[in-house]
Amino acid sequence: PGTFTSGYNTYHEGTAPSTYFSSDSSSYSVLLDSNKEAMLGHTVTFDLQGHGSAIDSQSVVSGGKATEPIDPEATGYTFDGWYKEAACTNAWAFDTDTVTADTTIYAKWLKNITAAAEDVTDTYDGEAHGITVSVSDPASGATIAYGTTEGTYDQTSSPTITNTADSSLTVYYKVTADGYADLTGSATVTINKAEVRVTAVNQSIYVGDTLPD
């Protein structure tokens, strides 16, 4: 039946190798794959756009799919996905997008918001008390929404409590701004009972009388 022997030749600049495999029988012929790109594949590069640690490039056969790398991290930023262009307009879908040429995939980053709210502890004074969220970055343009249930931010100002019977109230907040990653948090408002002192005096008091000081 004949035997096949392996050979090797560099595939270079579109020139087919003289032999990859050869046969000693005229009854068999050896077919060479003339698709250089399919054989050698393409290089997929991950551009982190100035943040995070470098990610190794990948070699992907033509028509194949790149493997999604572990999400990169960078101080002060939140990673927001991989995109087909530096402007981060069209997301790269690793499960469906195929590689047909050397390709660069771009990381999208959102800057982290810097904001905080302190717990509030007050004594009953008949006034309503809520929380204050202080935003330092961005300096302007941030929007704050509030709620009394985690994950639901349906109020534009802080919920409040007045009566000590309410004991305490946890207020949840969400800070948003263009170009920034959303920030969520919570703070608790506690109203303590006011102290009332009553001094007894040896004095007759009648209905309708004013209590003495």
Side-chain angles (χ1 to χ4, degrees):
T3 59
F4 289 90
T5 58
S6 62
Y8 178 78
N9 198 320
T10 302
Y11 202 142
H12 182 64
E13 300 299 331
T15 302
S18 57
T19 57
Y20 270 100
F21 296 92
S22 59
S23 171
D24 62 1
S25 171
S26 60
S27 300
Y28 296 89
S29 61
V30 179
L31 298 179
L32 299 178
D33 190 340
S34 61
N35 186 345
K36 173 186 174 183
E37 291 183 347
M39 294 177 68
L40 298 185
H42 305 293
T43 299
V44 176
T45 303
F46 298 94
D47 188 334
L48 292 173
Q49 307 214 78
H51 304 292
S53 300
I55 294 176
D56 292 340
S57 61
Q58 298 178 11
S59 180
V60 180
V61 297
S62 188
K65 300 172 185 176
T67 300
E68 184 173 6
I70 296 173
D71 288 352
E73 297 179 348
T75 301
Y77 291 83
T78 296
F79 174 69
D80 196 39
W82 295 104
Y83 284 78
K84 298 178 180 180
E85 60 285 299
C88 297
T89 303
N90 300 290
W92 183 276
F94 288 90
D95 55 344
T96 57
D97 285 330
T98 57
V99 177
T100 57
D102 287 349
T103 302
T104 299
I105 303 176
Y106 299 87
K108 180 179 179 180
W109 298 94
L110 296 174
K111 195 172 182 181
N112 291 342
I113 290 174
T114 303
E118 300 290 338
D119 290 338
V120 176
T121 300
D122 280 309
T123 299
Y124 174 76
D125 58 4
E127 301 294 331
H129 296 269
I131 68 169
T132 299
V133 179
S134 299
V135 181
S136 55
D137 188 13
S140 62
T143 299
I144 308 172
Y146 304 84
T148 55
T149 302
E150 187 173 10
T152 301
Y153 310 97
D154 53 3
Q155 301 182 47
T156 57
S157 59
S158 173
T160 61
I161 59 172
T162 302
N163 197 323
T164 55
D166 295 330
S167 183
S168 65
L169 173 69
T170 299
V171 179
Y172 299 91
Y173 62 87
K174 180 178 182 179
V175 186
T176 58
D178 290 340
Y180 286 76
D182 295 349
L183 174 70
T184 59
S186 66
T188 300
V189 183
T190 301
I191 305 297
N192 294 321
K193 294 180 179 180
E195 182 180 352
V196 177
R197 292 187 178 182
V198 177
T199 302
V201 295
N202 186 17
Q203 182 177 344
S204 297
I205 302 297
Y206 298 93
V207 175
D209 286 350
T210 300
L211 292 175
D213 294 334

